[in-house]
Amino acid sequence: MEAPHNMAPRLLLLFLGPVLLTLGGGMEDQARREKEPAYWNAQAMETLEAALRLRPRDHRAKNIILFLGDGMGVSTVSAARILRGQQEGRSGEETMLAMDTFPYLALSKTYSVDKQVADSASTATAYHCGVKANAKTVGLNAKAVAYECNTTFGNEVFSVLRRAKAQGKSVGIVTTTRVQHASPAAAYAHSVSRSWYSDADMPSSARRQGCVDIATQLVTNIDIDVILGGGRMYMTPKGTPDPEYPASNSRKGDRKDRKNLIDVWLKAQQKKNSRYVWHRKEFDEVNVKTIDRLMGLFEPKDMRFEIFRNSTRDPSIVEMTEKAIQILSKNPKGYFLFVEDEYSQWRRIDHGHHDGIANLALTEAVMFDRAVHQASRLTRESDTLTVVTADHSHVFTFGGNTPRGNPIFGLASKTAEDKMPFTSILYANGPGYVHVNGTRGNITMGDYYDEEYMQQAAVPLDSETHGGEDVAIYAKGPMAHLFHGVKEQNYIAHVMAYAACLEPYKDCPPHPTASAGHTHTLSALLLCLSSLLWLLVS
């Protein structure tokens, strides 16, 4: 039988043949090919042949990267895939995102202990710490009660990030939100309120009982090597002018205890070369070969949507991910990296959806996928477990019997029963519910392609809500095959811990053998294919 690594060139050609043909012609050529049964049969046979060669990487992971698309439900992924393809001049539906190339896939059940439709705090505790929890709380089990400080103590649960650090690995957090936001906070903090960003946000009774704000825990609970995102104002004494917005009173430092937590972090490891930056210029000047620890806080609160990001002042999620990997990967024992893009109001994917503005959310999703792709370029699948998932979904959908290649932000092909047009993208609830004189507004009176256009919603709410359906888990690398079927969300943390032989797991996967890289061809081929696609169409 032919050795797998000798089959690789032939298999690569099988993958690249139809792709290159597709890219070589226009949309009309592609449409003509798709009418031929041979096109679809060949494509399916090639995919089947690749699947038959897929073998699990059943050895230990040196590194772990967890990508979290906050609010990135399956419908968001599908719409983002189409958007990216259309940005590149194609019809869109056939596009492959970087995460689409991952060989292993599962569904995650996102409910929390007390909520059928969960929030970002309880879900973060699940995928970071391995247990389901209550809404509004981070890093605590379900015995903790939201906002009741005295239920904190004794109910702490500990993240994979913390366990990785305890075993000598480097650890990092990258987010487009404030670094004290619920999603990253569960990796390092224990709080009965996700909103206790600084001590100024806490009731005096909680401070008296011994509870600690999330920003303080960021720099005191765990020595986090790389911290990149927003959240400057929660780190400095009350009244401290912001370096980027010195005249803004609303962006000044927020801390009542008069502590400068940036200085606390910088001084925590005197023997290491640590650096704090707040501007793109300083960020670009960081020498990853000499810097051991990096904190970059680029906005007083959350970072801006990608559409509105000032590229001369703030780095993108792609650039922050790259810098983090370059610094963390210097540790011979490996690293754990958490990367989050949130898709809502000033919090990316999640916040764009909460505002009912799909363009903001989907543009963030495309950029998030670019970060996934960049991480794939900088890492080896043989030693790095990469997981991409979401904490929850949104009540976002697109439909309307639209034709192939219909602009993702465009109109459905038919009018509704009220004789009015509607966009393919709609929300089940949210601020987009607008009725004029008892009837739905005529959307053609405005520009529904505008980047801040608010899609219509069926039920009026100030803010669109999360969705309760399962979300996807994409995985590749060592032990990625353990992600399959439908799983509870807290299972994610357990797979990551087991793959890297972290607490509580002792009976661990073996270290990789020298020949391990020659026995797994599919994922490497998919990554090669993905890289080629990016080079050809980006």
Side-chain angles (χ1 to χ4, degrees):
M1 181 176 176
E2 188 177 359
H5 58 280
N6 292 332
M7 287 182 166
R10 185 166 63 88
L11 189 55
L12 182 60
L13 287 174
L14 287 173
F15 270 110
L16 295 182
V19 174
L20 293 173
L21 285 172
T22 299
L23 293 172
M27 290 175 60
E28 291 183 2
D29 291 337
Q30 175 66 11
R32 184 171 59 253
R33 281 191 293 271
E34 289 183 2
K35 292 178 180 178
E36 297 296 332
Y39 171 87
W40 298 106
N41 288 330
Q43 184 185 84
M45 289 176 183
E46 291 155 11
T47 304
L48 176 61
E49 184 174 354
L52 290 169
R53 284 174 170 75
L54 180 62
R55 297 293 182 271
R57 297 180 182 270
D58 53 4
H59 58 263
R60 190 174 306 183
K62 176 183 178 183
N63 313 309
I64 301 173
I65 304 178
L66 173 59
F67 281 95
L68 191 284
D70 198 316
M72 190 184 70
V74 172
S75 57
T76 297
V77 174
S78 299
R81 182 187 299 130
I82 294 172
L83 173 60
R84 197 195 122 193
Q86 292 180 348
Q87 289 173 338
E88 296 161 352
R90 303 192 301 278
S91 65
E93 299 84 0
E94 70 291 338
T95 302
M96 287 282 284
L97 295 172
M99 66 184 87
D100 290 334
T101 68
F102 285 27
Y104 297 101
L105 183 71
L107 290 178
S108 169
K109 299 163 69 175
T110 62
Y111 69 91
S112 63
V113 171
D114 62 337
K115 297 288 185 181
Q116 186 178 80
V117 180
D119 73 338
S120 294
S122 58
T123 52
T125 301
Y127 60 73
H128 276 304
C129 303
V131 301
K132 292 219 171 191
N134 291 326
K136 310 300 182 185
T137 67
V138 293
L140 298 169
N141 63 40
K143 295 177 183 178
V145 180
Y147 310 118
E148 294 188 14
C149 172
N150 60 2
T151 66
T152 303
F153 312 108
N155 292 321
E156 298 90 345
V157 290
F158 300 102
S159 68
V160 175
L161 179 147
R162 183 184 182 117
R163 293 175 241 172
K165 187 69 179 183
Q167 290 204 8
K169 295 182 184 294
S170 295
V171 296
I173 289 171
V174 171
T175 180
T176 55
T177 68
R178 61 199 78 184
V179 295
Q180 305 86 1
H181 175 252
S183 301
Y188 60 82
H190 315 283
S191 178
V192 291
S193 173
R194 58 178 288 178
S195 301
W196 289 354
Y197 302 125
S198 81
D199 62 339
D201 299 312
M202 300 174 64
S204 57
S205 59
R207 293 197 299 271
R208 286 194 302 269
Q209 291 174 44
C211 281
V212 180
D213 65 275
I214 294 171
T216 296
Q217 294 187 61
L218 171 66
V219 300
T220 58
N221 282 3
I222 309 168
D223 175 27
I224 303 176
D225 302 280
V226 176
I227 303 170
L228 299 174
R232 283 194 299 257
M233 65 181 291
Y234 308 112
M235 307 291 282
T236 56
K238 191 173 182 65
T240 303
D242 185 83
E244 190 172 359
Y245 312 100
S248 173
N249 289 328
S250 64
R251 295 181 174 95
K252 289 182 177 179
D254 192 46
R255 301 199 61 80
K256 288 184 176 181
D257 61 10
R258 311 302 299 171
K259 291 181 180 178
N260 186 321
L261 298 181
I262 297 169
D263 287 343
V264 171
W265 180 85
L266 285 169
K267 296 174 182 177
Q269 297 290 329
Q270 297 284 358
K271 295 182 179 180
K272 293 186 177 181
N273 188 3
S274 303
R275 180 85 184 272
Y276 167 71
V277 299
W278 64 268
H279 193 280
R280 169 65 179 267
K281 182 176 183 295
E282 300 171 327
F283 176 82
D284 289 343
E285 291 172 351
V286 169
N287 185 340
V288 297
K289 295 180 180 179
T290 60
I291 288 293
D292 302 311
R293 299 165 77 240
L294 175 64
M295 176 185 285
L297 303 177
F298 302 102
E299 287 290 337
K301 294 183 179 180
D302 299 320
M303 294 183 70
R304 295 182 177 273
F305 281 110
E306 178 60 27
I307 285 178
F308 304 130
R309 179 175 63 89
N310 185 329
S311 60
T312 64
R313 295 190 305 195
D314 297 341
S316 70
I317 187 174
V318 178
E319 293 159 336
M320 291 191 293
T321 299
E322 178 176 359
K323 190 83 75 175
I325 292 174
Q326 290 171 334
I327 293 172
L328 298 175
S329 61
K330 294 186 296 181
N331 187 339
K333 294 183 178 180
Y335 61 86
F336 175 92
L337 175 62
F338 174 67
V339 181
E340 178 205 21
D341 197 334
E342 181 161 349
Y343 302 98
S344 34
Q345 160 64 8
W346 301 127
R347 269 179 254 162
R348 309 359 28 176
I349 306 170
D350 183 53
H351 282 183
H353 281 324
H354 279 309
D355 286 352
I357 303 175
N359 199 329
L360 298 182
L362 298 185
T363 302
E364 290 298 322
V366 170
M367 201 64 177
F368 174 75
D369 189 69
R370 292 183 185 275
V372 173
H373 171 73
Q374 185 68 353
S376 294
R377 290 184 61 250
L378 296 170
T379 58
R380 293 189 301 268
E381 192 171 340
S382 59
D383 65 9
T384 302
L385 171 62
T386 304
V387 180
V388 181
T389 190
D391 48 355
H392 55 75
S393 184
H394 278 269
V395 291
F396 160 90
T397 189
F398 66 100
N401 197 30
T402 50
R404 179 74 180 273
N406 196 70
I408 192 61
F409 300 118
L411 298 177
S413 55
K414 298 180 180 179
T415 57
E417 291 295 315
D418 59 5
K419 308 303 181 185
M420 302 281 276
F422 62 98
T423 55
S424 172
I425 291 176
L426 295 169
Y427 288 91
N429 58 48
Y433 178 94
V434 178
H435 279 214
V436 180
N437 296 324
T439 187
R440 190 167 58 91
N442 187 343
I443 60 175
T444 59
M445 299 300 290
D447 181 7
Y448 44 84
Y449 288 112
D450 186 82
E451 59 195 16
E452 294 188 82
Y453 173 75
M454 184 183 295
Q455 276 77 17
Q456 292 184 323
V459 175
L461 290 176
D462 288 341
S463 178
E464 179 263 5
T465 69
H466 294 169
E469 71 270 23
D470 298 348
V471 297
I473 307 170
Y474 306 84
K476 68 173 182 175
M479 309 311 295
H481 60 282
L482 298 180
F483 290 108
H484 63 92
V486 180
K487 299 292 188 287
E488 298 287 358
Q489 192 169 47
N490 61 299
Y491 175 74
I492 295 171
H494 286 263
V495 172
M496 293 190 298
Y498 176 75
C501 199
L502 305 176
E503 291 289 342
Y505 295 100
K506 303 295 185 183
D507 185 13
C508 300
H511 289 286
T513 62
S515 61
H518 297 298
T519 58
H520 312 280
T521 59
L522 175 67
S523 298
L525 290 170
L526 286 174
L527 177 57
C528 180
L529 173 60
S530 175
S531 298
L532 179 65
L533 283 168
W534 279 83
L535 288 171
L536 290 172
V537 302
S538 296

